[in-house]
Amino acid sequence: MPDLDFWYSIGSTYSFLTIMRLDDWCSEHDASVTWRPFNVRTVMSQQKNIPFAGKPVKSAYMWRDIERRAAKYHMHAQLPAPYPISDLALANQVALLGMEEGWGKNFTQILYRIWFEEGVEAGSETALSEALHRSQQDPRLILSRARSPDIVAALEAETLRAIKLGIFGAPSLVVGNEVFWGDDRLDDALSWARVGHVI
Amino acid sequence: MPDLDFWYSIGSTYSFLTIMRLDDWCSEHDASVTWRPFNVRTVMSQQKNIPFAGKPVKSAYMWRDIERRAAKYHMHAQLPAPYPISDLALANQVALLGMEEGWGKNFTQILYRIWFEEGVEAGSETALSEALHRSQQDPRLILSRARSPDIVAALEAETLRAIKLGIFGAPSLVVGNEVFWGDDRLDDALSWARVGHVI
């Protein structure tokens, strides 16, 4: 079974497509994917990679492209979703804590639904609390633990690992040392994992 | 037969993939595509869209991604090709003149081969002259005509049309008012032309 790392950041718009379809895609292709939240804002600020802020034409295209592709995948979405999100670090700290405890993937999928289907900004305490609640977690307790120095440091460490791999944006699929950026590169990554080239 | 406009700029790296495979792709899908050179540098400068300059990690990824996808399409390429190119406007003025006279597509394909296979920078007089020569055109005559006010103005007019369509980068496929950006959106564009949504 091919083994891939899915590096994502809550706050990334195109990650919506991947987060919503990845489970089905894994079943269909008999693939196994490890979900790895990181702080894409740290990475992109460091690399002066500002794809949408101050770029209205490219931003409008991004939403239209997501809309067309969401329809292709039969996903419901109210677009544009609130963007950018406020507390990107906190959202991903919660996700990382959840990964350690086994509820992180479910939480991420629910939070993206709240963000993209219900229009509540994903870095807000409202959205985070609601997503935790729907994940059968105690929002007050989890938000407090997600803010602890341990989890803050853990997300920073994962972000450093992402940078060392050559990641510059989200979502990214990684197979060994090969980075595949974008929801539209899932099949390339799988092909690489299986046969060592893109077919 | 679906009708699409292929907006490209000599100087765009990802356009290599589309320029090299578009004829086969059209035959395979029974599609008809109009090639429309424009000045992507004007558009991107205006929109402060600087995807690679000063971004070594993203640039390295771009070359690797093109390399993997070129192999997928069985294209030969010596990467990285010299980038950015020098006289982007002149190269596309030549291409536009060639489109008016029926040799523009062939010239573009030959010039990309010289740039990506032989490593000669595509905006240089060396590359342009050689590509014109191989296209059975007189380099001195054509380069002089390509620099005339008429052709300069014609490329600027096409670039303005691209901007009005919402184009922000190259390559772009356009179907009616729908813009599809990137070599990886060819199939989305075709599907839109055929059935009005992405399948």
Side-chain angles (χ1 to χ4, degrees):
Chain A
M1 192 184 272
D3 229 349
L4 303 99
D5 277 349
F6 169 47
W7 291 86
Y8 74 96
S9 243
I10 296 164
S12 147
T13 54
Y14 273 103
S15 295
F16 166 70
L17 297 174
T18 314
I19 282 161
M20 292 293 119
R21 74 190 183 99
L22 197 54
D23 279 346
D24 287 346
W25 183 87
C26 282
S27 304
E28 191 187 332
H29 298 287
D30 198 22
S32 162
V33 170
T34 305
W35 290 49
R36 303 189 68 165
F38 73 110
N39 189 330
V40 75
R41 197 172 278 172
T42 300
V43 178
M44 295 175 84
S45 302
Q46 208 177 81
Q47 301 183 356
K48 301 182 185 65
N49 183 7
I50 315 291
F52 300 118
K55 301 184 179 68
V57 179
K58 202 177 173 201
S59 297
Y61 175 82
M62 179 264 286
W63 291 114
R64 182 64 174 150
D65 190 43
I66 291 176
E67 184 177 28
R68 290 185 308 224
R69 296 217 135 200
K72 168 184 172 169
Y73 296 128
H74 309 288
M75 294 168 192
H76 175 64
Q78 275 191 31
L79 301 179
Y83 182 80
I85 72 164
S86 53
D87 203 338
L88 188 144
L90 179 62
N92 288 288
Q93 284 156 20
V94 174
L96 189 62
L97 174 60
M99 291 303 162
E100 290 173 7
E101 301 188 344
W103 47 266
K105 186 176 84 168
N106 190 37
F107 161 79
T108 301
Q109 291 165 331
I110 291 170
L111 183 57
Y112 263 83
R113 283 214 174 87
I114 290 171
W115 184 19
F116 270 68
E117 295 180 7
E118 300 170 30
V120 188
E121 186 263 288
S124 64
E125 285 229 7
T126 310
L128 293 170
S129 296
E130 181 60 27
L132 284 166
H133 181 70
R134 294 188 204 171
S135 309
Q136 277 78 53
Q137 303 300 317
D138 178 339
R140 227 172 48 142
L141 178 69
I142 296 293
L143 285 173
S144 153
R145 290 180 57 211
R147 287 184 168 112
S148 71
D150 277 8
I151 298 295
V152 168
L155 187 71
E156 284 169 1
E158 278 293 88
T159 304
L160 262 180
R161 273 180 213 111
I163 290 169
K164 279 186 185 150
L165 283 164
I167 286 173
F168 57 92
S172 293
L173 272 280
V174 176
V175 184
N177 290 319
E178 291 287 324
V179 176
F180 297 85
W181 174 54
D183 178 73
D184 44 23
R185 290 296 186 276
L186 259 67
D187 295 333
D188 284 14
L190 180 66
S191 156
W192 195 272
R194 282 189 170 146
V195 296
H197 58 265
V198 174
I199 53 171
Chain B
M1 191 182 274
D3 229 348
L4 304 99
D5 277 349
F6 169 47
W7 291 87
Y8 74 97
S9 244
I10 295 164
S12 148
T13 54
Y14 272 104
S15 294
F16 165 70
L17 297 173
T18 313
I19 282 162
M20 291 294 119
R21 75 189 183 99
L22 196 54
D23 279 347
D24 287 347
W25 182 87
C26 282
S27 303
E28 191 187 331
H29 297 288
D30 196 23
S32 162
V33 169
T34 305
W35 290 49
R36 302 189 68 165
F38 73 109
N39 190 330
V40 76
R41 195 172 278 171
T42 301
V43 178
M44 295 175 82
S45 303
Q46 206 177 82
Q47 300 183 357
K48 300 182 186 61
N49 181 7
I50 316 291
F52 301 118
K55 301 185 179 70
V57 179
K58 202 177 174 200
S59 296
Y61 174 83
M62 179 264 287
W63 291 115
R64 182 62 174 150
D65 190 44
I66 290 176
E67 185 178 27
R68 291 185 307 226
R69 296 217 135 200
K72 168 185 172 169
Y73 296 127
H74 309 289
M75 294 170 191
H76 174 64
Q78 275 191 31
L79 301 179
Y83 182 80
I85 73 164
S86 52
D87 202 338
L88 189 145
L90 179 61
N92 289 288
Q93 283 157 19
V94 174
L96 189 62
L97 173 59
M99 291 303 161
E100 289 173 8
E101 299 188 345
W103 48 265
K105 187 177 82 167
N106 189 38
F107 161 79
T108 301
Q109 291 164 332
I110 290 171
L111 182 58
Y112 263 83
R113 284 214 172 86
I114 289 170
W115 182 20
F116 271 67
E117 295 181 6
E118 301 170 31
V120 189
E121 185 264 289
S124 64
E125 285 229 8
T126 310
L128 293 171
S129 296
E130 182 58 26
L132 283 166
H133 180 69
R134 293 189 204 171
S135 309
Q136 278 79 54
Q137 302 301 317
D138 177 338
R140 227 171 49 143
L141 179 69
I142 297 293
L143 285 173
S144 152
R145 290 180 56 211
R147 287 184 169 113
S148 70
D150 276 8
I151 298 295
V152 169
L155 188 70
E156 284 169 0
E158 277 294 87
T159 303
L160 261 180
R161 271 179 213 112
I163 291 169
K164 279 186 184 148
L165 283 165
I167 286 174
F168 57 92
S172 292
L173 271 281
V174 176
V175 184
N177 290 319
E178 290 287 324
V179 175
F180 297 85
W181 173 53
D183 177 72
D184 44 23
R185 290 296 187 278
L186 259 66
D187 295 332
D188 284 15
L190 179 66
S191 154
W192 196 273
R194 282 188 170 147
V195 295
H197 58 266
V198 174
I199 52 171

